[in-house]
């Protein structure tokens, strides 16, 4: 199937165009070419707020685009799902810093790479010009060698660590980090281009953007696959976007350097129990300072010196999909001279992915490139090769089977770590919670392979989570509670205070005393509290704790310590962080 013959995709779902020979791309035969989206009547962006009817139109359109809905428009109007889209639009506006969207006030006050690429597709639903601006700003930070940094520090903020003063990148093109993030940009750019209602604007913008996208893909292969394995490496957990995934635990065992004292700012905005531990942060910073000392502007060198070098499934799946979308764009724009180069990336990618398949587990796994070992952690990234379209039919069937088993264990999918894994923590960053953007990618991949029922379950869960808990950074797969920025702050703070009181009566704190206190005062099996307990134990007691065995549910805490009200902020949607 030639890329330029590909029918229009419904939102980002749909045919993944490539001319890579079908023989070497079994996934492409796996069917599920979705019908093109219906052509809507033309409504101008200016009319967005004018009448309830217009608003209903935009909401329906955005849902259809983002989730590739196939129902008639009437089914969507008046649906309980619609307020989510409306809230998302408001959220984007609230976080608009003038051409770029911050993921969250305070915690994430700059422009993040993959978040921005994702929210551009959100902006496109109701303001295409603004969507293109998001890319313009993002690529204004692109380095000369093609790398798009993970964060662009367009303007100062004191609420984030490590900021530009720690990274110390040159001021031009923009102060930024010296590492990158998953290359979602080409996927989103295709979406904008394919679904535009302002063709002239889209042509003009894409003429400018396409060479930048191409340069960034070339950077990935040059800097992160110099050995031509077909799969690229990440050199820092932050590059994966799934910063705190258990898939990095084993590879982060290298000794920590003697670091300058530092103060984490994230803990001022989110409870420590939902964030990476201090030990993990020490490793993050060790990598940062080592890269800086090695001059991280020489990315070719970093590949060889980094003590952390992983094949990340999330990055590689997104890159593979992005290659296909870049190829589609190249053909549309008449840039056929670059197609062979992209085909080569795709061919090699198919080969590279084969090494990441764990037949016994029926899953793809991340791989430590320094040891050659597949990592044993099963994370939601394992399902992203479906989004890439790189899995064979047989692999897709096993992935679907595995996913069903995960979903049997939790009311809300898809958890970021296998809920049967002892490392699963339902509230800690990337170690259990659900991320809507990952749901969307898995949903998209399942539809591509024809697993419509399973896709529907994920769609329904996503709608239920966001409808019930609001637009949160992430969600607890066991309770459906929103978590991350702004969420559960009061509850956590209160529980922390109670526990701290218990511990401080016992100097040094003793595990038995903590256990007794927990048993007396808290409902065992309360995962929220268990996370909190583990956090306190990690921080305060140098011993392992025997978590009390399951007990009948006990009464709620007996002592409620009066706390000053914690201001709750609004929440946000769409990016990988999707936050407040
Ligand atoms: C953070 O600071 O949590 C970011 O995800 C790093 O990019």
């Amino acid at each position: 199937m030639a890329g330029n013959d590909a029918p229009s995709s419904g939102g980002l779902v749909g045919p993944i165009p490539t001319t890579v020979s079908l023989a070497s791309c079994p996934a492409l035969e796996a069917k599920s070419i979705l019908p093109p989206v219906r052509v809507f009547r033309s409504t101008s962006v200016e009319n967005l707020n004018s009448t309830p009817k217009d608003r209903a139109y935009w909401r329906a359109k955005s849902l259809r685009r983002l989730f590739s809905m196939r129902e008639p428009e009437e089914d969507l109007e008046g649906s309980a799902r619609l307020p989510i889209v409306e809230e998302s639009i408001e959220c984007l506006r609230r976080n608009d810093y003038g051409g770029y969207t911050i993921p969250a006030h305070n915690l994430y006050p700059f422009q993040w790479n993959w978040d921005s690429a994702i929210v551009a597709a959100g902006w496109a639903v109701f303001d295409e010009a603004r969507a293109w601006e998001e890319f313009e700003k993002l690529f204004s930070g692109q380095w000369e060698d093609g790398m798009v940094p993970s964060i662009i520090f367009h303007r100062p903020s004191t609420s984030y660590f490590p900021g530009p003063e720690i990274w110390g990148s040159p001021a031009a093109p923009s102060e930024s980090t010296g590492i990158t993030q998953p290359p979602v940009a080409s996927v989103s750019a295709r979406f904008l281009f394919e679904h535009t209602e302002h063709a002239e604007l889209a042509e003009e913008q894409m003429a400018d953007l396409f060479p930048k996208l191409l340069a960034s893909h070339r950077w990935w292969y040059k800097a992160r696959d110099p050995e031509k394995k077909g799969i690229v490496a990440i050199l820092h957990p932050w590059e994966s976007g799934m910063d705190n995934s258990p898939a990095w635990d084993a590879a982060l065992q290298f000794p920590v350097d003697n670091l300058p004292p530092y103060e984490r700012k994230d803990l001022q905005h989110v409870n420590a129990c939902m964030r990476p531990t201090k030990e993990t942060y020490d490793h993050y910073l060790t990598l940062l300072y080592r890269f800086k000392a090695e001059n991280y502007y020489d990315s070719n060198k970093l590949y060889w010196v980094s003590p952390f070098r992983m094949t990340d499934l999330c990055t590689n799946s997104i890159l593979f999909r992005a290659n296909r979308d870049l190829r589609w764009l190249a053909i549309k724009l008449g840039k056929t001279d670059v197609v062979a180069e992209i085909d080569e990336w795709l061919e090699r990618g198919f080969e590279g992915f084969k090494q990441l398949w764990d037949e016994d587990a029926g899953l793809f796994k991340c791989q430590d490139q320094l040891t050659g070992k597949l990592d044993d952690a099963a994370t939601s990234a394992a399902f992203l090769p479906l989004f890439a379209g790189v899995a064979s039919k047989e692999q897709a069937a096993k992935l679907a089977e595995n996913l069903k088993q995960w979903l049997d264990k939790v009311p809300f999918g898809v958890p970021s770590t296998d809920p049967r894994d002892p490392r699963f923590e339902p509230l800690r960053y990337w170690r259990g919670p659900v991320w809507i953007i990952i749901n969307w990618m898995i949903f998209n991949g399942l539809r591509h392979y024809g697993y419509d029922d399973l896709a529907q379950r994920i769609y329904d869960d996503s709608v239920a989570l966001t409808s019930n808990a609001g637009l949160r950074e992430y969600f607890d797969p066991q309770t459906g509670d929103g978590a991350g920025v702004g969420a559960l702050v009061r509850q956590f703070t209160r529980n922390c205070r109670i526990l701290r009181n218990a511990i401080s009566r016992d100097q040094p704190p003793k595990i038995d005393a903590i256990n007794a206190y927990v048993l007396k005062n808290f409902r065992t099996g309360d995962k929220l509290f268990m996370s909190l307990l583990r956090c306190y134990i990690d921080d305060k007691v140098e011993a392992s704790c025997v978590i009390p065995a399951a007990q009948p549910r006990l009464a709620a805490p007996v002592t409620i310590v009066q706390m000053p009200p914690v201001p709750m902020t609004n929440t946000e949607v769409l990016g990988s962080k999707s936050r407040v």
Side-chain angles (χ1 to χ4, degrees), residues 448-466:
H448 174 71
Y449 284 88
Y451 292 97
D452 287 4
D453 290 349
L454 201 49
Q456 188 63 38
R457 154 89 201 256
I458 291 168
Y459 173 84
D460 290 342
D461 284 3
S462 307
V463 171
L465 286 168
T466 48

Side-chain angles (χ1 to χ4, degrees), residues 263-422:
E263 190 198 351
R264 285 173 63 175
K265 300 275 175 74
D266 58 325
L267 301 183
Q268 292 170 9
H269 316 301
V270 184
N271 193 281
C273 300
M274 297 184 187
R275 295 291 298 172
T277 62
K278 175 177 178 338
E279 196 201 336
T280 307
Y281 250 78
D282 284 349
H283 282 90
Y284 293 161
L285 290 168
T286 296
L287 287 169
L288 187 162
Y289 282 112
R290 284 211 203 169
F291 295 168
K292 192 170 168 181
E294 290 286 351
N295 180 10
Y296 42 50
Y297 308 104
D298 181 356
S299 50
N300 296 329
K301 188 169 174 198
L302 292 193
Y303 177 90
W304 299 107
V305 301
S306 175
F308 178 93
R309 199 171 90 207
M310 293 292 297
T311 300
D312 168 32
L313 285 170
C314 177
T315 302
N316 278 281
S317 299
I318 289 172
L319 180 60
F320 195 93
R321 171 68 183 252
N323 282 332
R324 291 177 146 171
D325 288 332
L326 188 72
R327 186 182 194 288
W328 183 93
L329 284 167
I331 291 169
K332 285 278 171 205
L333 300 173
K335 306 216 178 267
T336 44
D337 52 319
V338 300
V339 170
E341 183 181 2
I342 302 173
D343 282 349
E344 203 188 314
W345 297 335
L346 288 166
E347 291 280 8
R348 284 213 304 262
F350 269 107
E351 289 310 308
F353 263 93
K354 283 184 190 159
Q355 294 151 34
L356 308 178
W357 178 250
D358 178 342
E359 183 60 30
D360 294 339
L363 282 175
F364 286 96
K365 296 277 178 66
C366 295
Q367 186 176 36
D368 188 330
Q369 293 199 1
L370 298 177
T371 62
K373 280 196 194 138
L374 287 186
D375 191 85
D376 67 341
T379 70
S380 53
F383 304 110
L384 294 182
L386 297 171
F387 175 67
V390 73
S392 67
K393 264 190 213 175
E394 294 71 26
Q395 287 168 335
K398 289 196 174 162
L399 289 173
E401 193 41 52
N402 245 303
L403 183 54
K404 277 188 209 143
Q405 288 171 16
W406 287 34
L407 296 178
D408 283 347
K409 297 281 170 218
V410 286
F412 302 97
V414 175
S416 39
T417 298
D418 183 344
R420 296 161 296 186
D421 188 309

